[in-house]
Amino acid sequence: MTETTAPTWLPQHDPLATADVHEWLADWRRRAGMRVDVVPLAGLRGWRQDADTGVLAHRSGRFFRVEGLSVEMPGAAVPRWDQPVLHQPEVGILGLLARRDGDTLRVLVQAKAEPGNQDGHQLAPTVQATRSNWTGVHGGRPVPFLHHFRDPDPRRVIVDVRQSEHGSWFLRKRNRNMVVLTDEDIVPPPGFRWLSLAQVHRLLRHDDLVNMDIRTVLSCLPAELTARTAAPARDAFTAALRRSCRPGTGSRHRTGELLHWITDVRSRTEVGADRTALRGRAAWHLGEVSLRHDSGLFFEVIGVDVDAEGREVASWSQPMLRPCGQGVVAFLATRLDGVLHVLAHARVEAGFVDVVELAPTVQCTPATLDYLPAAARPPFLDQVLDAPPERVRFRAVLSEEGGRLYRARSSYLVVETDDVDLESDQYRWVTLHQLSELLRHSNYVNVSARSLIACLRGLLDAG
């Protein structure tokens, strides 16, 4: 049996599906390897460092730049600081091609290696490309399946929305998140495969397997679609989760009240973020090898040489941002009148387009906290870290964006609590359907929360 006559799709709720995908990914890691060597910033092929400012830019003037950022947040735990930042003004496409097989939604994924990935190849969207990639600035091969997303039939578009990336590391970076239906009988080329939505959801429970870009696209799917196609609820928690994904179920706050709250926090918060030179930034040292903080914490900017099989370009060099420590990203969750709510944080990040986006209850790098004032410690961090195992409903270590971030990983958790009196000016209980409604628009839900939303929905298909 071959894919050309009978595709090797498995039933949506077949428990063997994930093992089969693991074997397929392992095979691609053997067949299409990637070598990444850390090298001095001063010697990156194709990149120029301005002698006066230290700013790093590609010789084409495209892709991205490493610049300085001077930040002021009056009233914050740290009211002023300088840092490097990745500045990538162009908007990329993160696109999933989908097709219906009866009641099953299938998506075309690819096994994609990125230089910053922990384990090389991970599951990625059908298309994951910057404008510089698809316009051929790198001189490489065309991006497969791009035409499905450049000019789609509006009647076939399920998701089309621009969303942000990490506002602490990128300056106003956005990607176009898309899901487009097709009726074409597409035989996947090497490195691509059709998977059911349930299969991808199950794979989210495995460390470093489903990349950040596909997680953010999955989160933008309508919540009720996930609830409608999910497996039967196994317990009271998943029953409450299913109700949380549906419209018309009880929520603590009306969506209009949440919008007022977000707008009010944005209006009361002052943020100044000015692009500056890299040289001369307080507490940062720019040398020939790397750019790092004097404390050895936060992150550093390094250079890498990459040799890759199966990519549009076989060899290149680039700067990357390497975090100093593993992150913790967590939602506290509770059941209110039988409907699951998560505690969302109105989080300020210097790189956001509009000051504040909804974030997980906890989002931090614990290794950096001893260097910062006590007031910078997230209020619910200890509650997450000290949670008994039976209260942890989801846990996985997942990679962040692997094209610009080197070995950036976070422990993603969902911790159930019975304490409902946790709201403040910065925190509100929200349902997954309310987050889904906000995700129809840009700049409301940050990338870490979007990853956790995808993981939570995946619990409905955990099998």
Side-chain angles (χ1 to χ4, degrees):
M1 184 180 293
T2 66
E3 280 197 316
T4 54
T5 57
T8 57
W9 298 332
L10 294 172
Q12 186 176 17
H13 298 297
D14 190 328
L16 300 179
T18 57
D20 183 65
V21 176
H22 280 288
E23 293 171 7
W24 175 68
L25 267 177
D27 180 59
W28 266 98
R29 287 167 179 159
R30 290 189 295 268
R31 293 167 56 188
M34 172 176 280
R35 177 177 174 177
V36 182
D37 297 319
V38 178
V39 298
L41 282 176
L44 288 178
R45 290 175 288 133
W47 292 78
R48 292 196 297 257
Q49 190 171 31
D50 187 274
D52 296 324
T53 66
V55 168
L56 274 165
H58 194 262
R59 65 187 177 191
S60 66
R62 303 288 295 277
F63 297 105
F64 66 99
R65 294 157 58 95
V66 184
E67 303 177 343
L69 193 69
S70 181
V71 182
E72 292 190 6
M73 290 188 186
V78 180
R80 190 190 184 287
W81 71 90
D82 291 339
Q83 67 167 87
V85 72
L86 303 180
H87 185 211
Q88 184 173 323
E90 60 185 39
V91 177
I93 290 178
L94 307 177
L96 265 178
L97 198 59
R99 61 174 293 166
R100 297 192 184 280
D101 179 24
D103 292 334
T104 299
L105 185 69
R106 304 192 186 277
V107 292
L108 185 62
V109 302
Q110 62 171 309
K112 190 176 184 69
E114 294 283 8
N117 284 355
Q118 177 69 20
D119 292 319
H121 288 77
Q122 297 185 12
L123 290 186
T126 319
V127 168
Q128 178 183 316
T130 65
R131 182 178 293 274
S132 292
N133 292 143
W134 77 66
T135 56
V137 174
H138 51 38
R141 295 191 296 271
V143 177
F145 301 107
L146 179 65
H147 64 282
H148 289 277
F149 304 94
R150 291 299 310 279
D151 189 23
D153 181 344
R155 297 169 296 180
R156 312 297 292 169
V157 176
I158 302 177
V159 170
D160 190 3
V161 59
R162 302 207 304 184
Q163 299 289 5
S164 64
E165 286 203 22
H166 297 88
S168 296
W169 297 330
F170 293 95
L171 182 62
R172 305 185 186 100
K173 185 172 187 282
R174 294 145 296 161
N175 283 311
R176 189 176 181 183
N177 290 237
M178 303 181 70
V179 180
V180 176
L181 281 172
T182 181
D183 291 328
E184 297 179 32
D185 188 13
I186 295 174
V187 178
F192 288 79
R193 181 166 180 166
W194 288 102
L195 296 178
S196 71
L197 185 59
Q199 287 174 287
V200 181
H201 277 159
R202 288 197 194 102
L203 291 165
L204 284 164
R205 302 199 308 176
H206 298 269
D207 294 352
D208 301 310
L209 192 67
V210 180
N211 83 356
M212 188 202 78
D213 291 321
I214 197 170
R215 298 195 306 262
T216 177
V217 177
L218 290 174
S219 75
C220 295
L221 283 167
E224 56 269 27
L225 183 151
T226 305
R228 187 169 62 246
T229 60
R234 303 179 309 282
D235 52 31
F237 179 86
T238 50
L241 174 58
R242 184 194 294 270
R243 285 190 286 269
S244 184
C245 292
R246 289 174 172 164
T249 53
S251 58
R252 168 160 280 203
H253 303 284
R254 292 182 293 109
T255 301
E257 293 171 354
L258 295 176
L259 288 168
H260 166 70
W261 168 58
I262 295 167
T263 302
D264 185 58
V265 176
R266 286 173 171 171
S267 300
R268 289 188 285 104
T269 304
E270 294 182 49
V271 178
D274 297 320
R275 296 163 58 194
T276 63
L278 274 179
R279 296 194 189 279
R281 296 300 94 205
W284 290 88
H285 176 71
L286 176 60
E288 291 190 357
V289 175
S290 67
L291 170 62
R292 59 196 313 246
H293 194 267
D294 292 343
S295 67
L297 298 173
F298 303 105
F299 61 86
E300 62 178 329
V301 180
I302 61 172
V304 296
D305 283 342
V306 184
D307 292 301
E309 299 177 37
R311 290 289 298 258
E312 292 88 357
V313 175
S315 178
W316 73 92
S317 298
Q318 68 172 89
M320 299 194 79
L321 188 152
R322 176 163 62 184
C324 299
Q326 184 171 292
V328 173
V329 176
F331 267 136
L332 288 180
T334 197
R335 285 173 255 170
L336 299 174
D337 296 324
V339 179
L340 194 75
H341 287 62
V342 295
L343 191 63
H345 177 205
R347 180 180 172 90
V348 182
E349 293 186 18
F352 285 158
V353 171
D354 199 3
V355 185
V356 164
E357 295 188 12
L358 294 190
T361 318
V362 172
Q363 180 184 330
C364 70
T365 304
T368 66
L369 294 177
D370 288 341
Y371 181 86
L372 297 172
R377 187 176 181 84
F380 304 104
L381 177 60
D382 293 335
Q383 189 169 345
V384 167
L385 296 180
D386 298 337
E390 65 272 14
R391 304 297 276 176
V392 179
R393 294 296 187 166
F394 178 89
R395 185 197 303 269
V397 177
L398 303 177
S399 298
E400 306 298 347
E401 203 274 348
R404 303 287 181 262
L405 309 177
Y406 186 82
R407 303 293 193 266
R409 304 168 77 218
S410 297
S411 179
Y412 280 81
L413 303 104
V414 176
V415 176
E416 191 172 15
T417 180
D418 295 326
D419 187 358
V420 300
D421 296 324
L422 302 179
E423 293 190 336
S424 67
D425 289 345
Q426 303 296 317
Y427 294 88
R428 290 287 189 277
W429 290 112
V430 300
T431 67
L432 264 68
H433 183 263
Q434 288 177 315
L435 290 171
S436 181
E437 288 292 292
L438 292 174
L439 280 168
R440 295 170 57 193
H441 310 279
S442 305
N443 307 321
Y444 277 106
V445 182
N446 83 350
V447 68
S448 298
R450 297 198 302 272
S451 279
L452 268 180
I453 290 167
C455 295
L456 266 167
R457 292 180 184 174
L459 292 178
L460 293 174
D461 283 314

